[in-house]
Amino acid sequence: MEFKDRRVLVVGLARSGVAAAALLCRLGAKVTANDSKTQAELGGALDALSGLSIDLRLGEAAEGLLAGQDVLVISPGIPYAAPFVQRALSLGIEVIGEVELAARVSRSPLIAITGTNGKTTTTTLTGEIFKNAGRRTFVVGNIGDPFAAIADEAGPEDRVVCEISSFQCESMRDYHPHIGAVLNITEDHLNRHGDMRTYVSMKRRIFQNQTEQDFAVFNQDDATCREMSKGLRARTAFFSRSGEVPFGAYAKEGAVYLRLGEAPQRVCGIDEIRIPGPHNLENALAAALMTGLMGVDAETIANTLRTFKGVEHRIEFVREFEGVRYIDDTKGTNVDATQKAVLAMRAPTLLIAGGSDKNVDFIPLAKTILESGVIEKVVLIGQTAEKIAAALDAVGYKSYVHEGYSMERAVARCRSEAKKGFNVLLSPACASFDMFKNCEQRGDVFKRLVMELE
């Protein structure tokens, strides 16, 4: 799509919006950039736009800026149902998101990874495999750099691996990955999408423009994924940790296999994969499959699985202090992710949980906490503390305490009650916006408090 001399309004100046505005400037568009926050509130977020020919309109409503615009680019945090977005559509203005913009510009083969959990680990691991195979690789999207930051730099011989959230799927129009993957589907973001049917339909959008030359990758062990795989034009490939698949990747008899032709090919032993847990076996299978489909050899895949340490904030060991292991899983932002973290614990554990409300059911988490036998106490913080407590009460689990809106008090409580050999696990099962800018900041605060213990 040609953007030169087109009038484009970019709304929302967090990282993705800033990257989109800068890209549009490089493409010769006439850019207006807007945010409801003022220059003082945004701080240094706009430094990357310094010196660029952009009409900055800060601290004002977007609706008053729509007149005369050809394209509206919205940040992932802005729902498509927002009144000014609907007004733009009624005026005939095309509305797209930052990843849609970037995909229209990029010339590199695109691998798009979505799902409820495991996206960051799988995206990062997939990027590492491509890098170890000698490809210049960009890991972008919902992690790392925004796609727009590198879209005009990535060439046909490069690889772009893009983590995609359901929010980013909402504004897709022409987005066309060569490989699209859905890792799993569980209840999440219902405060935005309203119901599971809508949430699933958002995820499925990554496949809407694929052709017979593309691949759609799904988790064979997930019933919703199996249903999503039906009726697509792309060739479907599956990964499974519970049994063989006709085309894809699977675990069998203690080893990982790829079957991309007639005969399966052994990649490595499951016990050789460095990142632990059944959920990480699924992530490894997905990454092996996607890179295998792009021609990476089994030896390179195996060597990467043996050496990849995982990602920050995802069941990340922080420190052992007074015989207690402190673990940061701040990326456990939904019930399913925290369930997986709880089931990965192999010692008595104090769990810090709670955060901003996504309108989800905490009963499944409460049952896992009760039945796991490893959670000695739940330390509740944030907006959802009462909801989680009610779910714990409903299943008969009574070992919990409230520590308000204070990570400091939560860590102090855990230190006072943890015994030698225990774990302290931060895995909130919730978003972070009631107390923090994002989940990374939440994890950073937790890790700082842990490292300051003396």
Side-chain angles (χ1 to χ4, degrees):
M1 181 179 181
E2 181 62 53
F3 285 95
K4 184 174 174 58
D5 294 327
R6 299 196 78 194
R7 293 162 297 183
V8 184
L9 172 63
V10 178
V11 179
L13 294 178
R15 291 185 310 130
S16 67
V18 167
L23 172 61
L24 287 161
C25 275
R26 296 196 295 272
L27 297 173
K30 298 175 180 178
V31 182
T32 301
N34 163 259
D35 198 291
S36 59
K37 294 180 180 178
T38 65
Q39 177 94 46
E41 290 173 318
L42 289 167
L46 303 183
D47 290 350
L49 301 182
S50 178
L52 298 181
S53 181
I54 295 176
D55 180 17
L56 278 176
R57 305 294 292 269
L58 306 177
E60 58 184 291
E63 189 159 357
L65 305 172
L66 294 174
Q69 301 293 339
D70 298 310
V71 182
L72 170 63
V73 179
I74 56 175
S75 76
I78 298 172
Y80 218 66
F84 82 89
V85 175
Q86 294 302 305
R87 174 63 176 161
L89 292 169
S90 73
L91 293 172
I93 299 170
E94 184 180 23
V95 180
I96 61 174
E98 174 261 330
V99 295
E100 172 77 15
L101 165 68
R104 293 183 183 184
V105 173
S106 176
R107 297 172 297 125
S108 178
L110 174 60
I111 296 90
I113 300 170
T114 192
T116 305
N117 292 309
K119 296 187 297 296
T120 298
T121 297
T122 305
T123 301
T124 307
L125 175 55
T126 302
E128 286 300 304
I129 295 173
F130 281 129
K131 290 174 185 176
N132 291 339
R135 294 283 185 175
R136 186 168 74 148
T137 304
F138 300 93
V139 177
V140 297
N142 205 39
I143 63 171
D145 292 325
F147 191 180
I150 57 89
D152 52 343
E153 179 183 353
E157 298 304 312
D158 302 326
R159 298 290 181 261
V160 173
V161 188
C162 192
E163 177 185 323
I164 296 293
S165 72
S166 60
F167 293 3
Q168 290 165 316
C169 290
E170 199 171 49
S171 55
M172 285 180 177
R173 293 297 171 267
D174 301 327
Y175 191 84
H176 180 181
H178 176 51
I179 297 178
V182 177
L183 304 178
N184 47 63
I185 295 290
T186 56
E187 194 176 69
D188 200 10
H189 297 304
L190 299 190
N191 57 326
R192 167 80 169 249
H193 301 302
D195 54 50
M196 282 296 291
R197 181 179 179 181
T198 303
Y199 176 60
V200 170
S201 71
M202 290 297 112
K203 296 289 191 183
R204 203 172 188 267
R205 285 190 174 189
I206 67 169
F207 307 111
Q208 65 187 356
N209 296 307
Q210 286 190 310
T211 69
E212 294 81 1
Q213 284 71 50
D214 301 314
F215 295 98
V217 171
F218 294 96
N219 185 343
Q220 173 69 31
D221 304 330
D222 186 297
T224 305
C225 285
R226 293 195 300 272
E227 189 64 28
M228 289 176 75
S229 71
K230 297 176 181 177
L232 300 177
R233 283 174 291 175
R235 186 175 182 185
T236 55
F238 292 94
F239 62 92
S240 172
R241 62 181 175 90
S242 63
E244 294 188 32
V245 297
F247 183 72
Y250 59 90
K252 180 183 178 182
E253 297 174 352
V256 169
Y257 290 88
L258 281 175
R259 178 179 277 148
L260 304 179
E262 290 186 8
Q265 183 178 21
R266 188 182 188 277
V267 177
C268 66
I270 292 172
D271 59 358
E272 297 178 65
I273 300 173
R274 183 162 182 173
I275 48 177
H279 61 292
N280 277 324
L281 173 57
E282 291 183 357
N283 297 335
L285 288 164
L289 174 53
M290 288 183 284
T291 53
L293 289 169
M294 295 290 287
V296 179
D297 62 275
E299 183 178 358
T300 298
I301 295 170
N303 287 338
T304 309
L305 296 183
R306 293 182 186 113
T307 57
F308 180 68
K309 298 178 181 178
V311 298
E312 187 180 18
H313 301 309
R314 192 69 182 98
I315 314 185
E316 176 195 4
F317 171 69
V318 179
R319 179 190 186 190
E320 183 171 327
F321 178 69
E322 297 177 334
V324 177
R325 290 172 56 86
Y326 290 82
I327 300 166
D328 171 20
D329 189 50
T330 186
K331 284 186 175 291
T333 58
N334 56 63
V335 165
D336 185 66
T338 297
Q339 287 176 286
K340 287 181 168 66
V342 167
L343 294 174
M345 297 298 103
R346 294 293 178 264
T349 300
L350 303 181
L351 171 65
I352 301 174
S356 56
D357 197 352
K358 293 183 179 180
N359 193 32
V360 300
D361 182 8
F362 290 108
I363 290 292
L365 174 60
K367 288 180 178 178
T368 298
I369 288 170
L370 177 68
E371 295 166 3
S372 70
V374 298
I375 303 301
E376 295 289 319
K377 180 165 286 187
V378 181
V379 179
L380 296 169
I381 59 173
Q383 182 182 19
T384 58
E386 293 292 347
K387 276 191 172 183
I388 299 174
L392 293 170
D393 285 337
V395 302
Y397 184 93
K398 301 297 184 180
S399 184
Y400 62 84
V401 293
H402 291 268
E403 290 298 349
Y405 284 74
S406 174
M407 185 65 77
E408 290 84 354
R409 284 168 50 187
V411 171
R413 166 75 72 164
C414 290
R415 181 189 179 181
S416 69
E417 299 204 14
K419 301 174 183 177
K420 188 174 182 179
F422 275 35
N423 298 324
V424 171
L425 171 66
L426 169 67
S427 189
C430 302
S432 56
F433 305 116
D434 57 336
M435 294 169 61
F436 302 96
K437 181 174 66 175
N438 51 44
C439 73
E440 289 83 3
Q441 185 190 47
R442 176 171 63 189
D444 289 340
V445 169
F446 173 75
K447 291 198 288 187
R448 175 180 58 79
L449 292 168
V450 169
M451 295 309 295
E452 290 174 354
L453 294 176
E454 60 180 37

